[in-house]
Amino acid sequence: MTDTRISRRFELLAREGRAAFVTFVMAGDPDPATSLAIIEALPAAGADIIEIGMPFSDPMADGPAIQASGLRALRAGMTLRGTLDLVRAVRAKDEATPIVLMGYYNPIYTFGPDAFVAAAREAGVDGLIVVDLPPEADDELCLPALAGGLNFIRLATPTTDDARLPKVLANTSGFVYYVSITGVTGTAAPNAVRVAGAVERIKRHTDLPVVVGFGVKSAEQAEIIGRDADGVVVGSALVEAVRTSLDAGGRATAETVGSVTSLAASIAAGVRRAKQGVLA
Amino acid sequence: MSAQSSAAVSSGAIPNTMRSGPDDRGFFGLYGGRFVAETLMPLILELDKAYTEAKNDPAFQAELAHLGKHYTGRPSPLYFAERLTQHLGGAKIYFKRDELNHTGSHKINNCLGQILLARRMGKKRIIAETGAGQHGVASATVSARFGHPCVVYMGATDVQRQSPNVFRMKLLGAEVRPVTSGLGTLKDAMNEALRDWVSNVEDTYYIIGTAAGPHPYPAMVRDFQSVIGTETREQMLEVEGRLPDAIVACIGGGSNAIGLFHPFLDDKDVQIIGVEAGGHGLDVPNGHAASMAGGRPGVLHGNRTYLLQDDDGQILEGHSISAGLDYPGVGPEHSWLKDSGRVTYVPATDAEALEAFQLLTRLEGIIPALEPAHALAHVMKLAPTMGKDQTIVMNLCGRGDKDIFTVGKILGFEL
């Protein structure tokens, strides 16, 4: 499984000499139709890889912004099956952009891991990030996913030391997601110096691209992180842009899609400046 | 399915003893494990190593036993409830009086063990989740006793219905942080405590209050609570000359129950019964907190276990009159004991628990917490079906002072 949409995308980015801009939005937030419109508009706004959150009632690794986003999606009726339908709709019009589903294990366990892998592959999913499945639990979903042709992207964190890194990286594919802070999503800002050291440390153990996320909110931060990393993930800021665009009843407005894509475009410009700065 | 085939391997053949679990990956058959974010995984492994060392260190065990005796007041009495026995007209009913412990419940047994472990590991800051507030009070108590700052996460709904315990925690110097996510009950408090832990990994120790969570918590909490069952065995042999015919305990996460049950698991003639919170009744959608009777296996809070959940795998909030039982999961060892058939799990409704609460108060002069009132509700059904020469031991795991406002409101008494 070496030639995948994700690997092809990173090869393209390498040729262009720039870091990947990885966007995270929640499936079904604020409602299924608006969510589809947002996701379909993200590549034109500069997204190189799209992460789509699978909403879960108890997101223990997420901060307030993504918690609220997931609850909005669940209230609007989103399910894991609905998330796969959303991917299928996006994939019908976009054959190239890698799509990674990110979430928690219980809805997948309920769906049935093998059935889920097959359904996700059929819908056009390229990779999975499942926060509460460490390498010790690889037999649950990681190995079936790899066998079924999906990348399984692992989180490495500041607490993952050199002794543990090989275990974390062993069955990781597609890319490595470095969590830049010890904390939940969207809270503290990452320290650029520490991130650079961490990316270098991970790269000593793997040839996979290393993308960095958790806490990146602005074009300026993205530009700095993108100098050292192969990609930058932005999630909480984008789902906050969804939230602030809603009306008093929590419904989408005419501004919702545009407010997400304009923020994405401005951060994408920051990511694109990152490697230019290094070259110059 | 891959997950189940791997679990079948880890559960292996039917064991000669029911007391040897979990395996080295933290599984009791299909249940348990370590389903946590990578940030926590190194900490969980460190905790496992530290606990294994402490468990085998006679000095650690001696300090814990000393505190149990002189601080908690162990052993707790085994009390023959003569008037209740007469009233029900069947088996002799004994109470294991863990409500007489310092802080008023069994929770202190676990908190003392874990605070000693936290100190051994050099952790300075203590966090805990709480539902009824009993575990929060016990955590605040041991933090005060050993001079550590303590933050207790408590669902905003529970802060309202358990206000006496909120004040006790504050008096003890703890910071109580109300949690407004979800419905603001125990599950949400546990999510928030896990988020705190992820954010403060260097200096923080998380005292989980029930026999659930990622391995080693379910086994560790069970070990610290097993003093209940170990004492009960000795006391029954002393007063009756034989083991009880049945032992009964209430189940939220199940820490008091596993503490009573575990030392008896290999005693085949002892019937073991866990009583879940039946709320408004099992037929009322999302109206109860009986995760084993009304749920199915899933993964939450670091372990696989029976959970209340919808068809999509979203966790339901559940309902119980008792804040301490109002949890959509259960400790993984209970899930395994249910599937194996060794323990029988039954529900008791809010109304049955309320009736039992009042009965015990009037017949024995003991105001029980609403949690063990659920166990008592089942004892009221069970005892009359048994012979007068037979015995039941019920774990009276908490006292009811904290519940008088809740009960007063339902009974129409202005407090």
Side-chain angles (χ1 to χ4, degrees):
Chain A
M1 210 182 53
T2 46
D3 182 35
T4 64
R5 269 194 205 95
I6 293 174
S7 70
R8 288 195 292 274
R9 181 54 49 111
F10 277 104
E11 283 158 18
L12 174 72
L13 291 165
R15 284 199 299 276
E16 294 181 3
R18 62 186 182 87
F21 176 38
V22 183
T23 57
F24 172 96
V25 290
M26 185 68 71
D29 175 27
D31 61 74
T34 308
S35 175
L36 175 62
I38 291 169
I39 293 165
E40 285 181 336
L42 283 171
D48 298 301
I49 295 173
I50 294 176
E51 282 180 15
I52 300 177
M54 301 175 276
F56 182 49
S57 53
D58 294 80
M60 69 172 186
D62 284 302
I66 292 178
Q67 287 175 44
S69 172
L71 290 178
R72 287 194 298 271
L74 290 173
R75 275 198 293 269
M78 188 44 70
T79 60
L80 188 53
R81 265 172 220 289
T83 301
L84 294 175
D85 291 342
L86 184 68
V87 173
R88 201 174 289 111
V90 174
R91 185 56 80 214
K93 295 182 193 168
D94 181 344
E95 183 45 44
T97 306
I99 297 177
V100 174
L101 293 183
M102 181 167 182
Y104 296 81
Y105 185 39
N106 197 53
I108 296 171
Y109 182 70
T110 295
F111 197 105
D114 291 334
F116 174 74
V117 167
R121 176 99 175 131
E122 180 273 322
V125 173
D126 300 291
L128 302 176
I129 302 174
V130 183
V131 177
D132 51 353
L133 285 180
E136 283 78 359
D138 269 358
D139 51 347
E140 299 277 342
L141 180 65
C142 173
L143 298 180
L146 294 176
L150 294 177
N151 284 131
F152 201 84
I153 294 134
R154 190 87 66 194
L155 304 179
T157 72
T159 58
T160 313
D161 60 18
D162 281 322
R164 186 169 165 78
L165 255 179
K167 191 180 182 88
V168 169
L169 295 171
N171 289 320
T172 300
S173 68
F175 58 90
V176 180
Y177 187 144
Y178 180 67
V179 175
S180 55
I181 52 166
T182 53
V184 293
T185 50
T187 46
N191 176 314
V193 177
R194 283 196 207 159
V195 166
V199 170
E200 194 188 316
R201 180 167 72 91
I202 293 168
K203 283 187 169 290
R204 283 202 295 272
H205 293 266
T206 182
D207 296 329
L208 290 170
V210 178
V211 311
V212 174
F214 276 46
V216 185
K217 287 175 181 158
S218 68
E220 292 69 29
Q221 285 175 318
E223 182 179 345
I224 294 166
I225 300 291
R227 285 175 195 156
D228 302 299
D230 298 307
V232 182
V233 190
V234 176
S236 296
L238 296 177
V239 304
E240 273 298 274
V242 173
R243 184 183 66 80
T244 53
S245 76
L246 303 177
D247 70 15
R251 288 174 298 264
T253 63
E255 277 77 54
T256 298
V257 175
S259 65
V260 178
T261 53
S262 65
L263 177 62
S266 86
I267 298 174
V271 176
R272 278 162 195 267
R273 283 193 297 271
K275 303 280 190 215
Q276 291 166 2
V278 175
L279 294 174
Chain B
M1 198 162 76
S2 52
Q4 264 146 19
S5 62
S6 73
V9 171
S10 64
S11 68
I14 294 167
N16 294 320
T17 173
M18 305 286 291
R19 303 184 62 219
S20 61
D23 67 18
D24 57 4
R25 295 169 65 221
F27 281 95
F28 302 89
L30 179 65
Y31 304 104
R34 288 190 274 236
F35 296 90
V36 296
E38 174 61 23
T39 309
L40 290 181
M41 200 63 203
L43 280 82
I44 296 282
L45 295 172
E46 181 197 352
L47 176 66
D48 190 22
K49 186 163 167 279
Y51 175 58
T52 302
E53 286 169 9
K55 188 169 58 173
N56 296 312
D57 179 353
F60 177 87
Q61 295 293 352
E63 187 175 9
L64 183 58
H66 182 86
L67 284 164
K69 181 174 179 183
H70 299 285
Y71 192 66
T72 307
R74 303 212 72 89
S76 66
L78 184 74
Y79 168 74
F80 173 50
E82 191 178 353
R83 292 193 70 218
L84 182 70
T85 297
Q86 282 170 2
H87 176 79
L88 294 175
K92 291 175 76 173
I93 298 162
Y94 285 88
F95 291 131
K96 180 60 174 165
R97 301 280 312 266
D98 256 52
E99 101 280 14
L100 294 176
N101 293 341
H102 178 44
T103 74
S105 81
H106 70 291
K107 294 293 188 186
I108 190 78
N109 302 328
N110 169 47
C111 287
L112 281 171
Q114 290 204 49
I115 195 92
L116 293 183
L117 186 59
R119 292 171 66 76
R120 232 180 128 95
M121 294 176 73
K123 303 290 184 185
K124 303 291 182 220
R125 175 175 174 268
I126 301 299
I127 61 171
E129 86 295 337
T130 198
Q134 295 300 90
H135 175 60
V137 166
S139 297
T141 298
V142 299
S143 297
R145 165 66 182 77
F146 287 96
H148 294 280
C150 177
V151 173
V152 179
Y153 290 92
M154 187 170 188
T157 305
D158 291 338
V159 168
Q160 292 297 318
R161 60 179 168 174
Q162 302 288 345
S163 57
N165 272 345
V166 174
F167 184 54
R168 289 167 78 195
M169 286 184 268
K170 288 182 178 172
L171 281 174
L172 289 159
E175 180 193 344
V176 179
R177 292 192 188 163
V179 177
T180 53
S181 60
L183 281 190
T185 58
L186 180 53
K187 153 179 108 75
D188 310 299
M190 198 154 178
N191 287 334
E192 213 53 42
L194 284 165
R195 290 184 188 117
D196 180 310
W197 201 21
V198 168
S199 308
N200 298 284
V201 291
E202 291 299 327
D203 65 340
T204 296
Y205 184 97
Y206 179 15
I207 303 185
I208 294 184
T210 195
H215 178 66
Y217 281 103
M220 176 168 68
V221 175
R222 173 201 68 199
D223 292 348
F224 291 140
Q225 293 295 0
S226 287
V227 65
I228 298 169
T230 302
E231 287 176 6
T232 299
R233 273 182 73 93
E234 287 168 13
Q235 290 166 322
M236 277 302 280
L237 289 172
E238 192 184 316
V239 298
E240 287 282 340
R242 61 190 186 88
L243 296 179
D245 294 288
I247 57 177
V248 182
C250 63
I251 311 262
S255 70
N256 93 84
I258 202 68
L260 176 65
F261 297 171
H262 197 257
F264 289 96
L265 289 178
D266 288 338
D267 299 306
K268 303 285 186 237
D269 295 332
V270 177
Q271 188 191 0
I272 306 181
I273 302 162
V275 186
E276 294 191 281
H280 302 309
L282 292 191
D283 51 343
V284 179
N286 205 18
H288 61 84
S291 48
M292 287 184 286
R296 61 171 199 281
V299 173
L300 178 71
H301 293 154
N303 58 173
R304 177 160 38 221
T305 192
Y306 277 88
L307 297 173
L308 299 176
Q309 52 185 322
D310 70 12
D311 292 342
D312 189 43
Q314 307 299 335
I315 309 304
L316 300 174
E317 295 282 346
H319 159 80
S320 171
I321 188 176
S322 146
L325 304 183
D326 207 346
Y327 180 67
V330 65
E333 194 165 9
H334 287 295
S335 294
W336 177 71
L337 289 167
K338 171 193 158 63
D339 285 5
S340 73
R342 176 64 188 97
V343 177
T344 304
Y345 294 92
V346 298
T349 64
D350 287 355
E352 290 169 331
L354 203 57
E355 187 192 338
F357 176 96
Q358 295 173 82
L359 185 77
L360 186 63
T361 304
R362 294 202 186 135
L363 284 181
E364 296 287 349
I366 297 171
I367 302 178
L370 281 170
E371 291 81 14
H374 286 72
L376 184 62
H378 187 73
V379 168
M380 288 163 62
K381 296 175 199 168
L382 179 66
T385 69
M386 294 169 65
K388 292 190 177 183
D389 57 337
Q390 292 186 295
T391 57
I392 300 172
V393 177
M394 190 199 97
N395 193 16
L396 191 45
C397 61
R399 63 180 180 226
D401 313 38
K402 71 183 176 62
D403 291 315
I404 58 172
F405 296 93
T406 302
V407 173
K409 204 169 164 186
I410 294 167
L411 299 181
F413 190 89
E414 282 293 326
L415 283 167

